Amino acid sequence: MSLNTERQFRKDMGFKNQEQIKRFYKATDLVCVNWDKILKLNERLKNIFSRLHEVVHTSIRIDDINAFCSDIDTAFKRMRDNDIIPRLNNFGRLPEDVYYNWMRGYCVAQYFTKAIAILLDVEENAIRQIGMDNLDNIETFSQSPMADVEVCLQDDSTIRFEVQSGYTGINDIKKHKVDEAKRVFQLNKIRSYVIHFDLFNGRVAVIDISEINDSNTNYKVNERFEGQMVFSIPADAFRYKLVDPPPKFAEIVY
């Protein structure tokens, strides 16, 4: 049988490519979301941030923790209603696991917006979301290297931030985030930073990734990030503790 005949056979079966028919035969295209678990995960998220709310310095606490917890339900409903959650199965992970990891990061970015504004001495409305994730459209719900937020400073200059979080004491930065930051700096002279909230130890690091020298950076493969290249944030980069008032931005940049 020729290759063209084999291709036509798969096409007649209703498949555009080999991967589609492989998933069909192995039934790996069938996704059964554990909705009960997701509801429990949402409650865990509310518990996490309610506890953080009681521990972090009063100056960076969100104004209404109950409204914040309600927003978790709202975000979940948008993702559910737009059929995004069943399609969160990248790299073979369960949709509920991908959802939980994504939602934790989403909540960190939302909760600590006030803290970032204080660090930078700007109003919260100066912090603008620019990341590609969209709760209404799976096509733009991606793992883009683009930074999460863009900030217009008081001197009218612009910087970008990638907001990250760590929960187990392991704190890494993905190489493709660095590559994108270097590209943006070379093209537009906009500096990019990673602001990493280590919630295992209650500390924060701010790292300028605009001009990192790859030859001096110890990249490694991290299976937690689907085998991507990463480097570990040095211990001395964590210069701000969440139980303390936010210092000046320039004092903590690594």
Side-chain angles (χ1 to χ4, degrees):
M1 183 180 291
S2 69
L3 289 177
N4 287 337
T5 304
E6 294 169 352
R7 188 180 298 113
Q8 186 61 47
F9 172 79
R10 292 190 290 269
K11 185 176 180 181
D12 291 343
M13 286 282 291
F15 302 98
K16 297 179 180 178
N17 55 59
Q18 294 183 30
E19 289 306 312
Q20 286 184 349
I21 195 169
K22 287 178 184 178
R23 290 195 295 268
F24 175 75
Y25 282 138
K26 292 189 291 185
T28 55
D29 59 324
L30 300 178
V31 178
C32 299
V33 178
N34 188 336
W35 296 106
D36 288 339
K37 182 177 180 180
I38 285 185
L39 293 178
K40 291 179 180 179
L41 292 174
N42 286 341
E43 292 306 309
R44 176 57 53 86
L45 288 166
K46 295 173 189 178
N47 194 337
I48 287 171
F49 286 90
S50 294
R51 292 189 185 205
L52 282 171
H53 186 73
E54 295 299 320
V55 173
V56 301
H57 193 268
T58 55
S59 64
I60 66 170
R61 288 178 184 170
I62 202 164
D63 293 337
D64 188 339
I65 188 60
N66 292 323
F68 178 86
C69 290
S70 179
D71 286 343
I72 292 174
D73 291 328
T74 300
F76 158 68
K77 290 174 183 175
R78 284 177 62 188
M79 294 174 71
R80 180 197 62 194
D81 293 347
N82 288 287
D83 200 34
I84 286 179
I85 295 173
R87 299 165 74 180
L88 297 178
N89 59 351
N90 57 323
F91 300 98
R93 292 188 293 166
L94 295 173
E96 49 268 26
D97 292 340
V98 180
Y99 165 82
Y100 183 60
N101 287 336
W102 183 89
M103 187 63 82
R104 280 193 311 189
Y106 174 82
C107 289
V108 164
Q110 298 300 313
Y111 187 89
F112 289 111
T113 295
K114 184 176 183 179
I116 295 172
I118 294 173
L119 282 171
L120 296 171
D121 193 24
V122 298
E123 298 295 327
E124 288 187 45
N125 59 15
I127 300 174
R128 185 172 66 90
Q129 299 287 331
I130 61 169
M132 295 298 291
D133 287 340
N134 186 324
L135 298 183
D136 298 316
N137 185 355
I138 188 64
E139 300 304 325
T140 55
F141 193 95
S142 64
Q143 297 185 45
S144 167
M146 182 179 290
D148 293 322
V149 296
E150 193 169 82
V151 184
C152 182
L153 302 178
Q154 290 191 8
D155 62 2
D156 291 331
S157 64
T158 298
I159 61 175
R160 288 185 173 182
F161 269 100
E162 170 75 22
V163 182
Q164 293 189 177
S165 49
Y167 301 90
T168 63
I170 299 173
N171 304 292
D172 295 329
I173 295 175
K174 298 177 183 178
K175 184 179 184 297
H176 75 132
K177 301 289 186 181
V178 175
D179 293 340
E180 172 67 7
K182 288 159 65 173
R183 185 191 69 82
V184 169
F185 184 70
Q186 290 172 1
L187 288 177
N188 304 314
K189 300 305 177 186
I190 295 177
R191 302 200 78 87
S192 296
Y193 302 83
V194 167
I195 181 165
H196 186 94
F197 294 88
D198 174 7
L199 300 183
F200 186 76
N201 296 299
R203 57 186 186 169
V204 181
V206 179
I207 303 97
D208 187 341
I209 59 171
S210 310
E211 299 179 277
I212 286 180
N213 187 337
D214 287 343
S215 63
N216 295 332
T217 305
N218 186 24
Y219 287 108
K220 60 186 178 181
V221 175
N222 190 320
E223 297 303 329
R224 294 186 308 112
F225 292 148
E226 298 86 38
Q228 294 189 45
M229 298 297 292
V230 303
F231 74 90
S232 296
I233 300 174
D236 59 348
F238 291 93
R239 300 172 175 175
Y240 166 39
K241 296 185 183 301
L242 288 170
V243 296
D244 296 332
K248 294 184 181 299
F249 177 73
E251 296 175 354
I252 63 172
V253 174
Y254 181 84

